[in-house]
Amino acid sequence: MSIPNIITLGRIILVPVIVWAIVSSQMEIAFAIFVIAGVSDAVDGFLAKRFNMSSELGALLDPLADKALLVSIFVALGIWGAVPRWLVILVVSRDIMIIGAFMLSWLIGRPMQVKPLLVSKLNTVAQIVFACLVLASLGFHFDAGIAGLLGMTVVAVLTLLSIAFYVAEWTRHIGSGEPMR
């Protein structure tokens, strides 16, 4: 168990705390914990790369932590009414499709390597920035205005692009007949 993996597990443990803060209307707390979770994501990635602490477990835990955090945040904010439900459905559906495709590939004997695409990384950053903006606007009582609309649009577009790229990659992989290396 490396330090980056422990940090990632800590981020996973923060997920229910952030959701609790949102459903309890403690948006300042939710914002602060979300920022801590975001910083921890950067720190564990830096440590893993800089000090050669990358591991197979970390390669699986890190995207799991990101998905758990972002899906939970979007669902909680959607229920709270701060994020449009169509965007929540889009974000959650994308992750379900990706996880489903990886599981199906594994079940049929053609496992895919867990390696995020560039568009997926950009999508994750956009989702984090947008969620942070929404939490900040709720916690500190300001209108996100055009920045909120722009953030929502960027998240929607990148989520759709990510779905398209993953479907194309998965189709190419399944059609090749060989496990992806």
Side-chain angles (χ1 to χ4, degrees):
M1 190 57 84
S2 67
I3 293 171
N5 291 347
I6 292 168
I7 293 170
T8 301
L9 287 172
R11 192 163 69 253
I12 292 170
I13 291 168
L14 289 178
V15 170
V17 178
I18 295 171
V19 171
W20 166 83
I22 292 170
V23 300
S24 300
S25 298
Q26 301 293 320
M27 296 303 176
E28 303 92 344
I29 294 170
F31 173 77
I33 296 171
F34 186 71
V35 168
I36 290 167
V39 169
S40 78
D41 189 21
V43 168
D44 71 41
F46 171 78
L47 291 174
K49 288 180 180 118
R50 176 76 168 105
F51 297 104
N52 199 24
M53 293 184 188
S54 297
S55 68
E56 193 173 323
L57 177 62
L60 296 172
L61 277 181
D62 192 61
L64 174 69
D66 289 344
K67 290 193 182 323
L69 179 65
L70 288 170
V71 165
S72 297
I73 293 270
F74 271 82
V75 169
L77 289 173
I79 290 169
W80 209 79
V83 173
R85 287 191 177 114
W86 64 265
L87 187 61
V88 174
I89 292 166
L90 184 63
V91 167
V92 172
S93 296
R94 171 199 170 268
D95 286 342
I96 290 170
M97 283 188 269
I98 291 170
I99 292 167
F102 275 93
M103 289 174 61
L104 181 60
S105 298
W106 181 76
L107 286 172
I108 63 173
R110 294 196 177 127
M112 294 181 71
Q113 181 181 2
V114 178
K115 183 179 145 192
L117 303 173
L118 176 60
V119 69
S120 178
K121 290 179 181 183
L122 295 172
N123 185 43
T124 299
V125 169
Q127 287 180 8
I128 290 169
V129 169
F130 178 66
C132 197
L133 177 64
V134 171
L135 287 170
S137 70
L138 293 170
F140 302 105
H141 311 289
F142 67 88
D143 182 8
I146 193 75
L149 184 59
L150 180 62
M152 183 172 47
T153 303
V154 169
V155 167
V157 168
L158 286 173
T159 301
L160 289 168
L161 284 172
S162 178
I163 290 169
F165 277 92
Y166 271 114
V167 167
E169 188 68 29
W170 185 80
T171 304
R172 187 173 331 145
H173 171 72
I174 293 302
S176 74
E178 298 176 18
M180 196 169 169
R181 305 254 183 251

